[in-house]
Amino acid sequence: MQKQIKIINSSTTIPIGKIVCVGRNYVEHIHELGNEVPEKPVVFLKPNSSIIYSGDEIIYPNYSNDMHHEIELLLLIGKTVKDASLEDSENAIIGYGVGLDMTLRDVQDVLKKKGHPWTIAKCFDTSAVLSDFILKENYKITFEEELILKVNDEVRQREKLNKMIFKPAELVQYLSSIMTLDYGDIIFTGTPKGVSKVNKGDSLLGSLDNLVNIKCSVK
Ligand code: MG
């Protein structure tokens, strides 16, 4: 079934296109996982079937014992861009949200050692949790905003957006040099430090300041 994005304070919904994710975009997170700072963004995709929304349950796959939360700024693409300039890339971003890139760290570690794609660690059902989105025309981003992720009311991740290595327009420009980005596509922009394991029964609360938020539990 075609999934939709909800826009805050609006009855508008937007059909979701593809989900493009960026990894390794905050230096301290790169170091906590023992990775190297990349010269270009690390890119992977999530399927439409992985999407859930605030209020839904994250289902723990039975082939992992180490599912991690990754709180991330989301970008909503509003126009078709290919090989875009930096200015066109900025203009292609029409909204912001917050999301969880749920990741099976034990599975991913094995895949990384083998040089295999991360698909089964990143693309399972319920691995992409989306907030509602705020439109850029209604909010000017300053990058002083903070991403916060709490597990059972304890803060696990807390970081300002100005710690991103590649900024939103730079990400869109790079991604558009590889694939056409279209209206309704969503970009996960990478997670800051503090990723950690979740357990069944945990309650997760993610936010970008008080602009957008998600709340869900792990089953
Ligand atoms: Mg991530």
Side-chain angles (χ1 to χ4, degrees):
M1 195 178 75
Q2 178 76 59
K3 305 258 174 80
Q4 307 277 329
I5 295 164
K6 295 163 220 160
I7 303 297
I8 288 174
N9 294 331
S10 167
S11 57
T12 304
T13 59
I14 295 176
I16 301 175
K18 59 185 169 294
I19 302 178
V20 188
C21 305
V22 171
R24 302 180 190 170
N25 202 22
Y26 290 79
V27 171
E28 290 175 38
H29 170 63
I30 292 169
H31 291 157
E32 76 180 344
L33 293 185
N35 292 315
E36 292 182 359
V37 177
E39 291 181 10
K40 291 181 176 173
V42 174
V43 179
F44 60 97
L45 302 172
K46 279 183 188 269
N48 216 264
S49 50
S50 66
I51 296 168
I52 60 170
Y53 302 96
S54 180
D56 292 341
E57 287 179 322
I58 298 166
I59 310 294
Y60 220 116
N62 61 11
Y63 58 95
S64 172
N65 288 308
D66 196 19
M67 180 162 60
H68 280 201
H69 52 76
E70 295 190 357
I71 186 82
E72 310 198 2
L73 170 72
L74 306 183
L75 310 177
L76 173 59
I77 300 298
K79 63 167 88 167
T80 301
V81 279
K82 172 66 180 169
D83 295 325
S85 66
L86 202 57
E87 185 181 1
D88 286 345
S89 299
E90 181 59 52
N91 291 335
I93 301 166
I94 61 163
Y96 305 103
V98 71
L100 284 169
D101 165 19
M102 300 305 295
T103 301
L104 309 178
R105 197 69 67 201
D106 48 356
V107 176
Q108 186 191 33
D109 285 346
V110 172
L111 297 170
K112 279 161 71 175
K113 285 194 185 104
K114 291 180 177 175
H116 289 180
W118 297 350
T119 307
I120 63 173
K122 290 282 196 180
C123 298
F124 55 96
D125 288 0
T126 77
S127 65
V129 188
L130 307 183
S131 70
D132 292 351
F133 280 66
I134 185 165
L135 292 179
K136 201 164 136 187
E137 64 190 34
N138 296 327
Y139 180 76
K140 182 167 171 43
I141 198 165
T142 66
F143 298 99
E144 290 298 313
E145 296 88 351
E146 265 189 335
L147 285 170
I148 298 179
L149 188 276
K150 295 179 183 175
V151 178
N152 304 328
D153 286 331
E154 176 195 336
V155 175
R156 298 271 183 94
Q157 293 184 269
R158 180 173 204 153
E159 193 66 274
K160 286 189 176 181
L161 295 181
N162 60 19
K163 293 287 179 65
M164 296 172 80
I165 298 171
F166 301 103
K167 302 299 185 277
E170 294 171 328
L171 292 174
V172 170
Q173 182 177 34
Y174 177 68
L175 294 171
S176 83
S177 75
I178 297 173
M179 65 187 92
T180 300
L181 297 175
D182 286 310
Y183 177 76
D185 287 352
I186 293 172
I187 298 171
F188 276 69
T189 60
T191 199
K193 68 180 185 294
V195 299
S196 66
K197 180 179 178 176
V198 298
N199 295 298
K200 291 180 182 179
D202 281 349
S203 168
L204 276 56
L205 194 61
S207 61
L208 178 66
D209 282 359
N210 288 319
L211 299 169
V212 283
N213 56 71
I214 46 183
K215 184 177 186 180
C216 46
S217 55
V218 180
K219 188 178 177 187

